[in-house]
């Protein structure tokens, strides 16, 4: 009740002091003019900088229709072709596979060489030298594999950090536009939740999830070195804890945000509808004119919010998808190498390649889960603002 009273007072003061000029502008300005006027007051420089970075970094893989400045892309009612974007992502994925072709060749040569040394050990009575050579080859292979895992982890951390910075730049714009359409309760709800998830997710992944996956990978590799000391069960437990914790974190956050966001949207819709009724019926003569003018401005703000939100989702998709495809490509390389070399004979080398490929795939899943969390956060905010308008 108190919130409804505050909204009513806000509308009353707003209409009293600005209603006349608003009504006059409404007669002369179209929705496009109102959007353009509101756009001039928004600071889009940070989002534009993010767009320029991703546009130049992945220029060869973006659809030709999207290689524009952010302001041109914003004002363009152009249509996004899902087919062109999928082609761009697939081209980048295969480009990464080809780029890492030298890695595939190195893994195959080292593995074949190590298998030859194993056969030499069995052919000669004294095989001390071949054992030393095999150990050296195995260590070189492990260094290359762990370096690839480190590259995947580092890329995941940098991508999450970039997405966090982008969310910090985008969320205030969406919240301001939500406030202009009367979604006061939603703004007060989403601001702390979104800022919490943006700053917490990076720390949670960097200092808890990825270290557990790294430790699990090392323990799994150690288990392949000897038949007497196995820690594969501990490695599996650590990996399960990491994946389960991330799943719980994602589920709780999205569940709370969805339920609370819907409740806040309903509250905003009822409160603003009450305020409009009070203003339209209890302010003599001009009350109805003011509410009609406010509806026009709110409609323009809603269109502007949806447009900025959709473009934000597009940039976020580019920021997270290309690094995720690179991580996936590394995982595919190791899995492919272990698969084609297995017929030459089993052993710790083949098993190690399979372990690296599997654990890098978990790193990819971590990046995908955090990206999905950010993506759905923006989507829920956009839907919540639209829902409050529908309830009016």
């Amino acid at each position: 009740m108190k919130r409804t009273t505050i909204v009513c007072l806000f509308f009353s003061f707003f209409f009293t002091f600005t209603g006349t000029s608003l009504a006059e502008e409404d007669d002369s300005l179209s929705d496009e003019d109102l959007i353009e006027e509101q756009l001039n007051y928004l600071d889009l420089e940070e989002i534009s900088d993010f767009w320029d970075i991703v546009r130049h970094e992945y220029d060869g893989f973006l659809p030709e229709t999207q290689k524009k400045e952010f302001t041109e892309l914003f004002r363009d009612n152009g249509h996004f072709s899902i087919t062109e974007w999928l082609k761009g992502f697939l081209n980048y994925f295969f480009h990464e596979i080809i780029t890492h072709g030298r890695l595939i060749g190195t893994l195959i040569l080292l593995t074949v060489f190590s298998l030859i040394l194993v056969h030499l050990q069995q052919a000669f009575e004294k095989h001390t030298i071949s054992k030393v050579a095999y150990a050296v080859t195995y260590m070189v292979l492990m260094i290359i594999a762990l370096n690839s895992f480190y590259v995947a982890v580092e890329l995941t951390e940098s991508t999450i950090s970039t997405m966090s910075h982008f969310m910090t730049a985008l969320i205030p714009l969406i919240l301001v536009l939500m406030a202009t359409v009367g979604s006061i309760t939603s703004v007060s709800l989403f601001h702390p939740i979104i800022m919490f998830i943006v700053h917490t997710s990076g720390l949670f992944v960097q200092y808890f999830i990825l270290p557990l996956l790294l430790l699990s990978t090392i323990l799994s590799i150690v288990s392949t070195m000897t038949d007497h000391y196995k820690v594969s069960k501990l490695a599996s437990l650590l990996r399960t804890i990491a994946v389960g914790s991330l799943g719980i974190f994602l589920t709780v956050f999205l569940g709370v945000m969805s339920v609370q966001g819907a409740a806040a949207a309903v509250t905003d819709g009822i409160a603003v509808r009450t305020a409009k009724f009070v203003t339209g019926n209890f302010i003599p003569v001009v009350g109805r004119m003011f509410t009609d003018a406010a509806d026009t401005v709110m409609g323009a703000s809603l269109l502007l919010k949806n447009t900025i939100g959709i473009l934000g989702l597009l940039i976020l998709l580019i920021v997270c998808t290309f690094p995720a495809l690179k991580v996936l490509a590394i995982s595919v390389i190791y899995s492919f190498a272990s698969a084609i070399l297995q017929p030459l004979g089993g052993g710790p080398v083949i098993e190690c390649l399979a372990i690296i490929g599997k654990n890098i795939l978990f790193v990819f899943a971590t990046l995908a889960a955090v990206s999905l969390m950010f993506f759905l956060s923006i989507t829920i905010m956009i839907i919540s603002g639209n829902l409050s308008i529908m309830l009016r």
Side-chain angles (χ1 to χ4, degrees):
M1 188 64 184
K2 179 187 289 188
R3 194 179 302 277
T4 303
T5 304
I6 294 175
V7 174
C8 291
L9 291 174
F10 168 76
F11 266 77
S12 298
F13 281 110
F14 176 77
F15 291 143
T16 300
F17 290 104
T18 65
T20 304
S21 60
L22 188 63
E24 292 175 356
E25 291 180 3
D26 180 59
D27 292 335
S28 58
L29 296 178
S30 63
D31 288 344
E32 291 76 11
D33 295 330
L34 289 173
I35 292 175
E36 191 69 26
E37 185 175 349
Q38 291 181 353
L39 186 61
N40 293 331
Y41 290 98
L42 294 177
D43 184 11
L44 301 177
E45 183 178 356
E46 291 188 44
I47 299 181
S48 180
D49 291 340
F50 273 101
W51 173 249
D52 291 337
I53 292 174
V54 299
R55 186 165 58 93
H56 288 95
E57 185 171 357
Y58 306 111
D59 183 68
F61 306 98
L62 298 179
E64 292 295 331
T65 56
Q66 306 305 323
K67 296 180 181 179
K68 304 176 181 179
E69 297 292 337
F70 181 77
T71 53
E72 298 177 1
L73 187 67
F74 184 88
R75 291 178 173 84
D76 182 19
N77 295 325
H79 309 276
F80 300 101
S81 173
I82 298 179
T83 303
E84 291 184 2
W85 281 103
L86 289 177
K87 287 181 180 178
F89 292 146
L90 288 176
N91 289 337
Y92 181 79
F93 177 75
F94 289 112
H95 168 76
E96 288 297 321
I97 294 290
I98 296 173
T99 302
H100 291 85
R102 181 180 299 178
L103 175 60
I104 297 178
T106 303
L107 293 175
I108 293 176
L109 288 177
L110 287 175
T111 304
V112 171
F113 184 61
S114 66
L115 293 175
I116 292 174
L117 290 176
V118 170
H119 291 295
L120 287 176
Q121 292 179 24
Q122 299 172 357
F124 296 96
E125 182 178 355
K126 296 181 179 180
H127 45 263
T128 304
I129 297 178
S130 61
K131 277 187 175 181
V132 174
Y134 174 78
V136 172
T137 306
Y138 184 80
M139 293 304 298
V140 172
L141 190 62
M142 292 306 98
I143 291 173
I144 295 175
L146 289 176
N147 182 68
S148 297
F149 188 86
Y150 175 75
V151 168
V153 169
E154 191 177 45
L155 184 60
T156 299
E157 291 180 352
S158 63
T159 302
I160 293 176
S161 177
T162 302
M163 288 192 297
S164 298
H165 292 319
F166 175 73
M167 292 285 288
T168 303
L170 176 65
I171 294 303
L173 292 177
I174 298 180
L175 292 178
V176 166
L177 293 172
M178 289 180 65
T180 59
V181 298
S183 300
I184 301 175
T185 307
S186 298
V187 170
S188 63
L189 169 70
F190 286 134
H191 183 268
I193 293 181
I194 298 296
M195 291 299 105
F196 171 80
I197 192 60
V198 165
H199 292 91
T200 303
S201 59
L203 298 176
F204 180 66
V205 170
Q206 181 179 359
Y207 294 105
F208 185 75
I209 301 298
L210 294 180
L212 285 181
L213 292 177
L214 176 60
L215 184 58
S216 173
T217 303
I218 294 175
L219 292 176
S220 298
I221 293 175
V222 169
S223 296
T224 64
M225 295 181 178
T226 175
D227 295 331
H228 302 289
Y229 302 100
K230 294 289 187 179
V231 285
S232 57
K233 297 296 182 183
L234 178 59
S236 178
L237 175 63
L238 294 178
R239 185 170 59 247
T240 302
I241 291 175
V243 176
S245 300
L246 183 62
I248 293 173
F249 186 70
L250 175 64
T251 303
V252 171
F253 167 73
L254 292 179
V256 171
M257 189 169 179
S258 300
V259 175
Q260 295 294 328
V266 172
T267 303
D268 287 327
I270 295 174
V272 175
R273 186 172 183 177
T274 303
K276 288 171 59 179
F277 175 80
V278 171
T279 304
N281 290 276
F282 292 95
I283 296 181
V285 183
V286 294
R288 182 63 60 183
M289 179 180 62
F290 291 162
T291 57
D292 293 340
D295 283 337
T296 302
V297 176
M298 287 182 179
S301 299
L302 181 66
L303 292 175
L304 185 60
K305 174 185 69 68
N306 291 342
T307 304
I308 290 180
I310 292 173
L311 290 179
L313 289 174
L314 174 65
I315 297 176
L316 184 65
L317 181 66
I318 297 174
V319 169
C320 69
T321 300
F322 285 109
L325 289 175
K326 186 173 183 177
V327 174
L328 182 61
I330 297 175
S331 175
V332 169
I333 287 173
Y334 278 91
S335 299
F336 176 76
S338 64
I340 65 172
L341 291 172
Q342 188 178 22
L344 299 179
V349 174
I350 304 297
E351 187 177 353
C352 179
L353 293 177
I355 289 172
I356 292 294
K358 180 180 178 181
N359 284 274
I360 292 180
L361 191 61
F362 280 107
V363 175
F364 165 78
T366 300
L367 177 57
V370 176
S371 303
L372 179 64
M373 195 181 304
F374 288 167
F375 194 87
L376 292 180
S377 298
I378 300 176
T379 304
I380 292 173
M381 291 178 62
I382 297 174
I383 294 175
S384 177
N386 296 345
L387 180 61
S388 63
I389 291 290
M390 291 174 60
L391 293 173
R392 297 169 194 172

